[in-house]
Amino acid sequence: MTTSFTTGAAGSSPSSPGPRPRSSRTSPSATARPRRGRSARKSRRPPHTPLNPRPSIPLTLVTGVVVLYTLAPLLWLVVNATKSQRGLFDSFGLWFADDFNLWDNVTRTLTYDDGVFVRWFLNTLLYVTLGAGGATVLAVLGGYALAKYEFPGRRAVFAVVIGAVAVPGTALAVPTFLMFSNMGLTNTPWAVIIPSLISPFGLYLMWVFASEAVPAGLLEAARIDGSSELRTFFTIALPLLMPGTVTVLLFSMVATWNNYFLPLIMIKDPDWYPLTLGLNAWNAQAQTAGGQAVFDLIITGSLLTIVPIVAAFLLLQRYWQSGLAAGSVKE
Amino acid sequence: MTLLSTSAQAVRPPRSRRRRPLGRYGLTGWGFVGPFVAVFALVFLAPIGYAAYLSLFRDRMIGGRSFVGMDNYQQAVTDPQFWEGLGRVGLFLAVQVPIMLGIALLVALAIDSGRLYGRSFFRVAVFLPYAVPAVVASLMWGFIYGTQFGLVGNLNDTFGLSLPDPLSPSLVLASIGNIVTWEFVGYNMLIFYSALKVVPRSLYEAAAIDGAGEWRIISSIKLPAIRSALVIATIFSVIGSFQLFNEPSILQKLAPNAITNDFTPNLYTYSLSFAGQQHNYAATVAIVMGVITAIIAYAVQLRGMRKG
């Protein structure tokens, strides 16, 4: 059954309202450019129902203002990373200077002070790999256990963990620092990595996710077949838990990559700084009398700091959705 | 402990449908959750206990550590520096949180309405700042605020204006509010949007057939449906406001006159402990702050869960 589509190139609202045979919806789209989303579908209803809205230019413009607000500072950062110190002071902030200094700036950022920026970058990678990776492992194991095993104290574990979230993390910082310094852990990578291992939000997310993604029947079947609990977890549960795992990993990665307060307290030795602390130190140096002002390096370094995390973010962005949805569905 | 159990109710985990008898798998369950609990005890529970212990003592140059009972607490609740900081974050919370959540909600509703061109672009673009570290966000905005080579300076030079200095003592709190809004508006938007996505579309259809318009559907169906997401986002934002530290701490270098060492309770705790070596008193202020935060978060939750 063929129906002639009259959808314009812009895929705007249908021009012929009125009932259509149901089967006309089987073809996804007969327009020259297949479009995703509901706007492509031919509606059988008048165009003004909430289910089949017409894209609205005013609403798009209003929401566009918010997007301008979120993107403009990042644009400022990109533009100003191409300027020399002099260009920073001489040219307009949202447009390029006469000279294009980006590559020079990047080179100088990476080599300044014997390449300390590279060292900070590697430190950050270390903290993110061990901290966020470990946090994900603990959250997946814990969430799976809370969802799929009845054990004494299960509810208590959950109540305490959720309750602890209400305790301001920064309020714990001072006593944690004193404890760690008594243990001799301060000024070592462990002081940053160990606290990063706990993600209460991640645990909750995995609990919700595991409850829905791993059917109890599968686990029973594996037990009847004589599979050990660990083997069942690795061969059956883990593949099913993958989407949730990636979500938790993303959140932990952003949290550890962006961490500032924890390393600020724990680490005094610049050799163990993560990027965030390093940039802060450069800024402090630029603001002190007699210190070398390295504004161009701070701006370029800031850009280099966000490039990897933004790239990871854009590549894996569909996983954010599933994670936050899992967290918000349950009443 | 009532707080703990009720916050657990706010985000209740799904009950597993079949309750298996205890015994055979009890140990296995602990085996899986054990590593998390062990590290959690080390980095959450132990510091809380240690802070409570520290708050009851005082270290003196002469005589060492001595038990002082509630003296530190008495000092904290009558400490004008602490109350000033608390007043500042209270004001910050009252203004910034509604603005941020309001924008987040509007964008979420706009994207969910299906009336935008380029929906997924909007979703990603608004969420993007969440990936930017607080240090970078504060430095970036701090430079933009700057009158030297920032945008404010540019605008003044280009148009001969004399815009007020965003980093002056009277405006710096609002400037910090703008940075925090920029960082987290997308995160909250995504929480709301995710909650909206799971509302059954058939409800809208039924409402439309009954003659409800767009606004009526939003106020009578969408907002009640995402109530718990609104409450959770509010609680997170309240806790975040009370913990305000990163942004003022970084901007301090750019605006040393505007941001003092007791600007927020957390900055105050930090400078007491690391500049003044008053660890006991710092631990006390942190505990008082934690209790106040917990009470306010709990109040928000009670208010939010009340029907009607």
Side-chain angles (χ1 to χ4, degrees), chain A residues 212-234:
Chain A
E212 298 189 348
V214 184
L218 268 183
L219 301 182
E220 286 299 339
R223 281 183 191 128
I224 290 166
D225 288 345
S227 162
S228 73
E229 296 299 312
L230 259 184
R231 186 177 159 191
T232 306
F233 171 74
F234 279 110

Side-chain angles (χ1 to χ4, degrees), chain A residues 162-170, chain B residues 3 7 89 93 97 232-245 266 289-290 292-298 300:
Chain A
I162 290 293
V165 179
V167 179
T170 34
Chain B
L3 171 80
S7 5
V89 290
L93 187 158
V97 171
I232 287 173
T234 309
I235 290 176
F236 281 164
S237 306
V238 166
I239 293 174
S241 304
F242 274 134
Q243 293 194 42
L244 194 61
F245 177 87
N266 257 328
M289 201 56 222
I292 292 174
T293 307
I295 290 172
I296 305 255
Y298 184 46
V300 169

Side-chain angles (χ1 to χ4, degrees), chain B residues 16 28 31 47 55 89 91 109 112 157-158 166 181 185 188-189 196 212 220 222 250 267 285 288 294 297:
Chain B
S16 57
T28 320
S55 70
V89 290
L91 174 68
L109 286 169
D112 184 66
D157 296 345
T158 314
T181 303
V185 74
N188 289 299
M189 181 275 291
L196 282 169
S220 303
K222 291 189 178 186
I250 294 152
L267 265 175
V285 172
V288 172

Side-chain angles (χ1 to χ4, degrees), chain B residues 72-86 262 268-269 272 278 281-282 285:
Chain B
N72 287 330
Y73 288 93
Q74 221 152 6
Q75 188 186 340
V77 295
T78 55
D79 183 344
Q81 286 179 288
F82 170 68
W83 287 109
E84 259 175 52
L86 191 64
D262 54 5
Y268 186 43
T269 310
L272 277 175
Q278 300 185 49
Y281 186 50
V285 172

Side-chain angles (χ1 to χ4, degrees), chain A residues 73 76-77 283 287 295 298-299 302, chain B residues 133-153 165-168 172 175-176 178-180 182-183 247-248 250-255 259:
Chain A
W76 183 92
L77 190 69
N283 184 41
Q287 306 294 341
F295 293 115
I298 298 170
I299 291 173
S302 296
Chain B
V135 173
V136 172
S138 306
L139 286 174
M140 198 166 66
W141 277 102
F143 288 155
I144 291 174
Y145 291 150
T147 41
Q148 284 183 298
F149 57 86
L151 268 185
V152 173
D165 177 8
L167 293 174
S168 62
V172 77
S175 301
I176 292 172
N178 174 53
I179 299 176
V180 175
W182 183 82
E183 286 176 294
E247 293 79 9
I250 294 152
L251 285 180
Q252 213 170 11
K253 311 276 190 318
L254 301 169
I259 297 175

Side-chain angles (χ1 to χ4, degrees), chain A residues 50 53 56 67 69-70 73 88 93 152 163 168 170 172 174 207 223 229 258 260-261 265 283 287 309 313 317 331, chain B residues 4 13 25 30 48 113 115 122 124-125 127 131 133 139 141 149 154 178 182 217 228 243 245 249 254 266 273-274:
Chain A
S56 128
V67 170
Y69 167 68
T70 55
L88 279 178
T170 34
L172 298 174
V174 173
W207 173 330
R223 281 183 191 128
E229 296 299 312
N258 298 356
Y260 164 75
F261 187 59
I265 292 181
N283 184 41
Q287 306 294 341
I309 197 85
F313 180 96
Q317 59 110 1
E331 284 288 318
Chain B
L4 302 194
Y25 298 113
W30 269 111
I48 293 175
S113 74
R115 289 172 163 273
F122 278 105
V124 175
F127 188 40
L139 286 174
W141 277 102
F149 57 86
N154 286 160
N178 174 53
W182 183 82
I217 287 176
S228 69
Q243 293 194 42
F245 177 87
S249 155
L254 301 169
N266 257 328
S273 200
F274 294 96

